[in-house]
Amino acid sequence: MKNCTFLRAALLGLTLAIGSTAVPAQAERLTVVNRNSEQSLKVSINRAVVVESDVAFAELSIANPQIADISSLSDRSIYVLGKAPGITTLTLLDAEGRLISNVDVVVSADISEFKERLRQILPNEKIEVRTANDGIVLSGVVSSSQRLQRALDLAERYAPERVSNLMSVGGVQQVMLKVRFAEMQRSVSKNLAASLAADGSALGGGLGISTGTGRYSNSGSQTSGIGGTLPGSNTNSGATLLGFNAGAVQVGILLEALETKGVVRTLAEPNLTALSGQEAKFLAGGEYPVPVAQDGGTVTVEFKPFGVELNFIPRVVDQDLINLELQAAVSAIDPNNGFELNAFRIDAFTRRETSTTVEMRDGDSFAIAGLLQDDFRDTKSQVPWLGDIPILGALFRSAEYQREQSELVIIVTAHLVTPTRGEALALPTDRVKPPSEKDLFLFGKVEKDQRKLKGAAGEVAKQDFKGSYGYVME
């Protein structure tokens, strides 16, 4: 009776011991080890596998217990638990001390959950996930750089600072940017001035008078005006001189009128192509030397660029969605607003520029900048009190009216592009070919017959610019 009770207690203790060993991690699969064969066993961290031997073993050992832990379930079954990333060796010996087998135990990170999350977040991406030591290796081709970054961010959650990126981005990754600068400037100026002169050399008792307003206030032009000639300094578009005598008094009236209208149109269309994520620069113009004073009294020269400038960084974030970081400018030398000192002159610049970041799809356009400016000025100068007299007061005053309007818009268009063969491209110089000596001296031709050109150059040469073309300003 005592023996039966003791046996039941022993069996219960063995059962509890085996159960407590299996609780931390459940075995995933069963691996069979054959005699005299070298095998490899893969185990995930904090997971276990059961190894089954084809023959009974009497002794087993693990080379590095820090990487994997083992325990025997029977004389043929072994419980292997992964503890830390690495590789170690499991050795099995029989009752006579002979080697049954050596098993390489490879312990790596558990990426099953990571694969499941990656498949849920990026279901259509062909991303391969592998382990390397204690890190994660991602490979494959993804559709956009944005989705690539999402996969890397998710991997960092499972293996911080131990993620190797071997992925590449598929699809078109080159962006051509077309920027159009259009500026229209209009100016209107009107000027109406009246000048009056009176000259009386002998008025009762030898009294003399000589006076004038406007241009006639200058005594140098007054005499010639009374004599019947226009002032030599007249710059107006129209001038009328009237003169008459009232007894001993000579009277001269000079009416001057000016009306100026001007239209200026500026247009620039730079095109530039760059790889996604790479900066591209474009400058069509020149550089202007500017002296700069340095410490110690020395003077150095710095060159300031002017012309059409374009800097941008494209990023293809998702298939045909493009993110653009853009800087564009159009500048020109302005000699009217310069700096002059001791016969040394530095010209100023007129500059229109913008810096922004936009997002658009392939072929879309954005008006990234615009300006509408309207300036006007009215001025009037007159002789005090006399200029306020109705009707006759016009002879004692002058009025000037000026108005300037400026309208500017900058439009960008982005395209995803791929390279093509050189034969399919045409240059502006393809439509003009130098003639032979025979054509030049005998027939007077300054260019070769365009009908003989082939390929893309021939297509360009067929374009005939007869009739009205270009821009018409009204």
mmCIF file of all heavy atoms in Angstrom, residues 176-209:
data_model
loop_
_atom_site.group_PDB
_atom_site.id
_atom_site.type_symbol
_atom_site.label_atom_id
_atom_site.label_comp_id
_atom_site.label_asym_id
_atom_site.label_seq_id
_atom_site.Cartn_x
_atom_site.Cartn_y
_atom_site.Cartn_z
ATOM 1 N N MET A 176 10.444 65.318 -64.678
ATOM 2 C CA MET A 176 10.755 66.506 -65.481
ATOM 3 C C MET A 176 9.840 67.629 -65.036
ATOM 4 O O MET A 176 8.613 67.474 -64.994
ATOM 5 C CB MET A 176 10.553 66.239 -66.975
ATOM 6 C CG MET A 176 10.965 67.439 -67.843
ATOM 7 S SD MET A 176 10.508 67.293 -69.577
ATOM 8 C CE MET A 176 8.755 67.601 -69.467
ATOM 9 N N LEU A 177 10.438 68.765 -64.694
ATOM 10 C CA LEU A 177 9.689 69.907 -64.205
ATOM 11 C C LEU A 177 9.717 71.004 -65.264
ATOM 12 O O LEU A 177 10.778 71.383 -65.761
ATOM 13 C CB LEU A 177 10.290 70.428 -62.896
ATOM 14 C CG LEU A 177 9.482 71.507 -62.183
ATOM 15 C CD1 LEU A 177 8.171 70.933 -61.687
ATOM 16 C CD2 LEU A 177 10.270 72.066 -61.012
ATOM 17 N N LYS A 178 8.541 71.489 -65.600
ATOM 18 C CA LYS A 178 8.398 72.589 -66.549
ATOM 19 C C LYS A 178 7.852 73.793 -65.798
ATOM 20 O O LYS A 178 6.779 73.730 -65.204
ATOM 21 C CB LYS A 178 7.447 72.205 -67.682
ATOM 22 C CG LYS A 178 7.220 73.311 -68.702
ATOM 23 C CD LYS A 178 6.273 72.859 -69.792
ATOM 24 C CE LYS A 178 6.052 73.966 -70.823
ATOM 25 N NZ LYS A 178 5.110 73.546 -71.885
ATOM 26 N N VAL A 179 8.615 74.878 -65.798
ATOM 27 C CA VAL A 179 8.232 76.099 -65.087
ATOM 28 C C VAL A 179 8.029 77.212 -66.108
ATOM 29 O O VAL A 179 8.875 77.427 -66.989
ATOM 30 C CB VAL A 179 9.304 76.511 -64.054
ATOM 31 C CG1 VAL A 179 8.871 77.759 -63.306
ATOM 32 C CG2 VAL A 179 9.560 75.376 -63.081
ATOM 33 N N ARG A 180 6.925 77.932 -65.991
ATOM 34 C CA ARG A 180 6.615 79.043 -66.891
ATOM 35 C C ARG A 180 6.499 80.332 -66.080
ATOM 36 O O ARG A 180 5.676 80.432 -65.168
ATOM 37 C CB ARG A 180 5.318 78.786 -67.653
ATOM 38 C CG ARG A 180 5.446 77.706 -68.724
ATOM 39 C CD ARG A 180 4.115 77.459 -69.398
ATOM 40 N NE ARG A 180 3.201 76.746 -68.496
ATOM 41 C CZ ARG A 180 1.924 76.507 -68.792
ATOM 42 N NH1 ARG A 180 1.413 76.944 -69.922
ATOM 43 N NH2 ARG A 180 1.169 75.846 -67.935
ATOM 44 N N PHE A 181 7.362 81.278 -66.419
ATOM 45 C CA PHE A 181 7.296 82.618 -65.843
ATOM 46 C C PHE A 181 6.623 83.525 -66.877
ATOM 47 O O PHE A 181 7.095 83.618 -68.016
ATOM 48 C CB PHE A 181 8.694 83.170 -65.547
ATOM 49 C CG PHE A 181 9.468 82.395 -64.528
ATOM 50 C CD1 PHE A 181 10.188 81.267 -64.884
ATOM 51 C CD2 PHE A 181 9.494 82.800 -63.209
ATOM 52 C CE1 PHE A 181 10.911 80.559 -63.951
ATOM 53 C CE2 PHE A 181 10.221 82.106 -62.267
ATOM 54 C CZ PHE A 181 10.919 80.974 -62.638
ATOM 55 N N ALA A 182 5.562 84.187 -66.491
ATOM 56 C CA ALA A 182 4.885 85.126 -67.382
ATOM 57 C C ALA A 182 4.646 86.418 -66.623
ATOM 58 O O ALA A 182 4.017 86.420 -65.562
ATOM 59 C CB ALA A 182 3.562 84.550 -67.877
ATOM 60 N N GLU A 183 5.162 87.521 -67.170
ATOM 61 C CA GLU A 183 5.011 88.828 -66.529
ATOM 62 C C GLU A 183 4.628 89.855 -67.580
ATOM 63 O O GLU A 183 5.213 89.907 -68.667
ATOM 64 C CB GLU A 183 6.299 89.252 -65.825
ATOM 65 C CG GLU A 183 6.167 90.574 -65.091
ATOM 66 C CD GLU A 183 7.427 90.942 -64.335
ATOM 67 O OE1 GLU A 183 8.470 90.308 -64.590
ATOM 68 O OE2 GLU A 183 7.375 91.850 -63.493
ATOM 69 N N MET A 184 3.631 90.663 -67.273
ATOM 70 C CA MET A 184 3.179 91.730 -68.159
ATOM 71 C C MET A 184 3.226 93.044 -67.394
ATOM 72 O O MET A 184 2.695 93.145 -66.285
ATOM 73 C CB MET A 184 1.760 91.455 -68.643
ATOM 74 C CG MET A 184 1.214 92.521 -69.577
ATOM 75 S SD MET A 184 2.025 92.527 -71.189
ATOM 76 C CE MET A 184 1.372 91.013 -71.875
ATOM 77 N N GLN A 185 3.863 94.042 -67.997
ATOM 78 C CA GLN A 185 3.975 95.369 -67.392
ATOM 79 C C GLN A 185 3.400 96.400 -68.361
ATOM 80 O O GLN A 185 3.750 96.421 -69.544
ATOM 81 C CB GLN A 185 5.434 95.714 -67.075
ATOM 82 C CG GLN A 185 6.064 94.824 -66.015
ATOM 83 C CD GLN A 185 7.506 95.175 -65.750
ATOM 84 O OE1 GLN A 185 8.093 95.981 -66.456
ATOM 85 N NE2 GLN A 185 8.094 94.570 -64.731
ATOM 86 N N ARG A 186 2.519 97.239 -67.846
ATOM 87 C CA ARG A 186 1.909 98.303 -68.642
ATOM 88 C C ARG A 186 2.155 99.635 -67.933
ATOM 89 O O ARG A 186 2.075 99.703 -66.700
ATOM 90 C CB ARG A 186 0.407 98.085 -68.808
ATOM 91 C CG ARG A 186 0.031 96.728 -69.345
ATOM 92 C CD ARG A 186 -1.485 96.581 -69.385
ATOM 93 N NE ARG A 186 -1.898 95.246 -69.765
ATOM 94 C CZ ARG A 186 -2.105 94.255 -68.910
ATOM 95 N NH1 ARG A 186 -1.932 94.477 -67.609
ATOM 96 N NH2 ARG A 186 -2.478 93.066 -69.325
ATOM 97 N N SER A 187 2.432 100.658 -68.713
ATOM 98 C CA SER A 187 2.663 101.981 -68.134
ATOM 99 C C SER A 187 2.009 103.038 -69.018
ATOM 100 O O SER A 187 2.059 102.959 -70.247
ATOM 101 C CB SER A 187 4.162 102.269 -67.988
ATOM 102 O OG SER A 187 4.793 102.267 -69.249
ATOM 103 N N VAL A 188 1.355 103.990 -68.372
ATOM 104 C CA VAL A 188 0.702 105.097 -69.063
ATOM 105 C C VAL A 188 1.100 106.386 -68.346
ATOM 106 O O VAL A 188 1.052 106.463 -67.115
ATOM 107 C CB VAL A 188 -0.836 104.945 -69.068
ATOM 108 C CG1 VAL A 188 -1.480 106.157 -69.738
ATOM 109 C CG2 VAL A 188 -1.235 103.676 -69.787
ATOM 110 N N SER A 189 1.490 107.381 -69.122
ATOM 111 C CA SER A 189 1.880 108.670 -68.558
ATOM 112 C C SER A 189 1.313 109.784 -69.428
ATOM 113 O O SER A 189 1.448 109.758 -70.664
ATOM 114 C CB SER A 189 3.408 108.783 -68.472
ATOM 115 O OG SER A 189 3.790 110.054 -67.996
ATOM 116 N N LYS A 190 0.666 110.777 -68.797
ATOM 117 C CA LYS A 190 0.112 111.928 -69.503
ATOM 118 C C LYS A 190 0.548 113.194 -68.780
ATOM 119 O O LYS A 190 0.545 113.247 -67.548
ATOM 120 C CB LYS A 190 -1.419 111.855 -69.560
ATOM 121 C CG LYS A 190 -1.943 110.670 -70.368
ATOM 122 C CD LYS A 190 -3.455 110.675 -70.412
ATOM 123 C CE LYS A 190 -3.967 109.465 -71.227
ATOM 124 N NZ LYS A 190 -5.452 109.451 -71.298
ATOM 125 N N ASN A 191 0.891 114.203 -69.574
ATOM 126 C CA ASN A 191 1.399 115.448 -69.013
ATOM 127 C C ASN A 191 0.863 116.615 -69.842
ATOM 128 O O ASN A 191 0.962 116.598 -71.072
ATOM 129 C CB ASN A 191 2.926 115.448 -69.022
ATOM 130 C CG ASN A 191 3.506 116.620 -68.235
ATOM 131 O OD1 ASN A 191 2.777 117.478 -67.758
ATOM 132 N ND2 ASN A 191 4.826 116.656 -68.136
ATOM 133 N N LEU A 192 0.290 117.579 -69.202
ATOM 134 C CA LEU A 192 -0.208 118.785 -69.867
ATOM 135 C C LEU A 192 0.282 120.002 -69.068
ATOM 136 O O LEU A 192 -0.011 120.129 -67.878
ATOM 137 C CB LEU A 192 -1.738 118.789 -69.944
ATOM 138 C CG LEU A 192 -2.377 120.005 -70.619
ATOM 139 C CD1 LEU A 192 -1.921 120.119 -72.072
ATOM 140 C CD2 LEU A 192 -3.899 119.937 -70.530
ATOM 141 N N ALA A 193 1.030 120.861 -69.730
ATOM 142 C CA ALA A 193 1.627 122.018 -69.062
ATOM 143 C C ALA A 193 1.395 123.274 -69.895
ATOM 144 O O ALA A 193 1.375 123.233 -71.137
ATOM 145 C CB ALA A 193 3.123 121.794 -68.840
ATOM 146 N N ALA A 194 1.215 124.386 -69.235
ATOM 147 C CA ALA A 194 1.047 125.684 -69.895
ATOM 148 C C ALA A 194 2.029 126.676 -69.299
ATOM 149 O O ALA A 194 2.211 126.737 -68.079
ATOM 150 C CB ALA A 194 -0.391 126.189 -69.732
ATOM 151 N N SER A 195 2.660 127.463 -70.173
ATOM 152 C CA SER A 195 3.617 128.482 -69.737
ATOM 153 C C SER A 195 3.199 129.821 -70.332
ATOM 154 O O SER A 195 2.782 129.911 -71.493
ATOM 155 C CB SER A 195 5.035 128.119 -70.189
ATOM 156 O OG SER A 195 5.408 126.856 -69.652
ATOM 157 N N LEU A 196 3.311 130.855 -69.559
ATOM 158 C CA LEU A 196 2.903 132.197 -69.965
ATOM 159 C C LEU A 196 4.057 133.168 -69.709
ATOM 160 O O LEU A 196 4.695 133.118 -68.660
ATOM 161 C CB LEU A 196 1.665 132.644 -69.164
ATOM 162 C CG LEU A 196 1.150 134.064 -69.413
ATOM 163 C CD1 LEU A 196 0.656 134.213 -70.849
ATOM 164 C CD2 LEU A 196 0.046 134.407 -68.414
ATOM 165 N N ALA A 197 4.309 134.035 -70.705
ATOM 166 C CA ALA A 197 5.377 135.030 -70.583
ATOM 167 C C ALA A 197 4.843 136.391 -71.007
ATOM 168 O O ALA A 197 4.055 136.503 -71.949
ATOM 169 C CB ALA A 197 6.577 134.636 -71.428
ATOM 170 N N ALA A 198 5.290 137.414 -70.330
ATOM 171 C CA ALA A 198 4.924 138.797 -70.671
ATOM 172 C C ALA A 198 6.159 139.679 -70.548
ATOM 173 O O ALA A 198 6.946 139.529 -69.600
ATOM 174 C CB ALA A 198 3.816 139.304 -69.739
ATOM 175 N N ASP A 199 6.328 140.555 -71.554
ATOM 176 C CA ASP A 199 7.516 141.413 -71.585
ATOM 177 C C ASP A 199 7.090 142.815 -72.033
ATOM 178 O O ASP A 199 6.614 142.987 -73.164
ATOM 179 C CB ASP A 199 8.551 140.831 -72.536
ATOM 180 C CG ASP A 199 9.860 141.617 -72.507
ATOM 181 O OD1 ASP A 199 10.023 142.444 -71.594
ATOM 182 O OD2 ASP A 199 10.696 141.360 -73.384
ATOM 183 N N GLY A 200 7.249 143.763 -71.150
ATOM 184 C CA GLY A 200 6.968 145.171 -71.497
ATOM 185 C C GLY A 200 8.164 146.007 -71.131
ATOM 186 O O GLY A 200 8.444 146.228 -69.952
ATOM 187 N N SER A 201 8.911 146.455 -72.178
ATOM 188 C CA SER A 201 10.162 147.160 -71.918
ATOM 189 C C SER A 201 9.961 148.629 -71.597
ATOM 190 O O SER A 201 10.782 149.252 -70.949
ATOM 191 C CB SER A 201 11.094 147.033 -73.131
ATOM 192 O OG SER A 201 10.439 147.557 -74.276
ATOM 193 N N ALA A 202 8.866 149.231 -72.068
ATOM 194 C CA ALA A 202 8.660 150.657 -71.806
ATOM 195 C C ALA A 202 7.180 150.901 -71.589
ATOM 196 O O ALA A 202 6.400 150.913 -72.530
ATOM 197 C CB ALA A 202 9.165 151.502 -72.964
ATOM 198 N N LEU A 203 6.806 151.035 -70.364
ATOM 199 C CA LEU A 203 5.415 151.277 -70.021
ATOM 200 C C LEU A 203 5.335 152.580 -69.217
ATOM 201 O O LEU A 203 5.831 152.638 -68.107
ATOM 202 C CB LEU A 203 4.836 150.119 -69.186
ATOM 203 C CG LEU A 203 4.702 148.774 -69.892
ATOM 204 C CD1 LEU A 203 4.196 147.726 -68.910
ATOM 205 C CD2 LEU A 203 3.770 148.873 -71.089
ATOM 206 N N GLY A 204 4.752 153.614 -69.843
ATOM 207 C CA GLY A 204 4.521 154.883 -69.152
ATOM 208 C C GLY A 204 5.586 155.305 -68.164
ATOM 209 O O GLY A 204 5.669 154.775 -67.086
ATOM 210 N N GLY A 205 6.380 156.199 -68.521
ATOM 211 C CA GLY A 205 7.412 156.712 -67.617
ATOM 212 C C GLY A 205 8.608 155.786 -67.510
ATOM 213 O O GLY A 205 9.334 155.833 -66.525
ATOM 214 N N GLY A 206 8.823 154.899 -68.553
ATOM 215 C CA GLY A 206 9.993 154.031 -68.544
ATOM 216 C C GLY A 206 9.865 152.807 -67.668
ATOM 217 O O GLY A 206 10.851 152.150 -67.368
ATOM 218 N N LEU A 207 8.604 152.496 -67.225
ATOM 219 C CA LEU A 207 8.400 151.309 -66.391
ATOM 220 C C LEU A 207 8.502 150.066 -67.250
ATOM 221 O O LEU A 207 7.887 149.977 -68.316
ATOM 222 C CB LEU A 207 7.030 151.375 -65.711
ATOM 223 C CG LEU A 207 6.672 150.180 -64.848
ATOM 224 C CD1 LEU A 207 7.644 150.055 -63.672
ATOM 225 C CD2 LEU A 207 5.217 150.298 -64.349
ATOM 226 N N GLY A 208 9.279 149.053 -66.828
ATOM 227 C CA GLY A 208 9.445 147.805 -67.580
ATOM 228 C C GLY A 208 9.023 146.592 -66.756
ATOM 229 O O GLY A 208 9.142 146.592 -65.528
ATOM 230 N N ILE A 209 8.512 145.572 -67.459
ATOM 231 C CA ILE A 209 8.065 144.340 -66.783
ATOM 232 C C ILE A 209 8.470 143.142 -67.623
ATOM 233 O O ILE A 209 8.422 143.174 -68.859
ATOM 234 C CB ILE A 209 6.525 144.348 -66.559
ATOM 235 C CG1 ILE A 209 6.102 143.081 -65.825
ATOM 236 C CG2 ILE A 209 5.765 144.475 -67.878
ATOM 237 C CD1 ILE A 209 4.632 143.072 -65.442
#
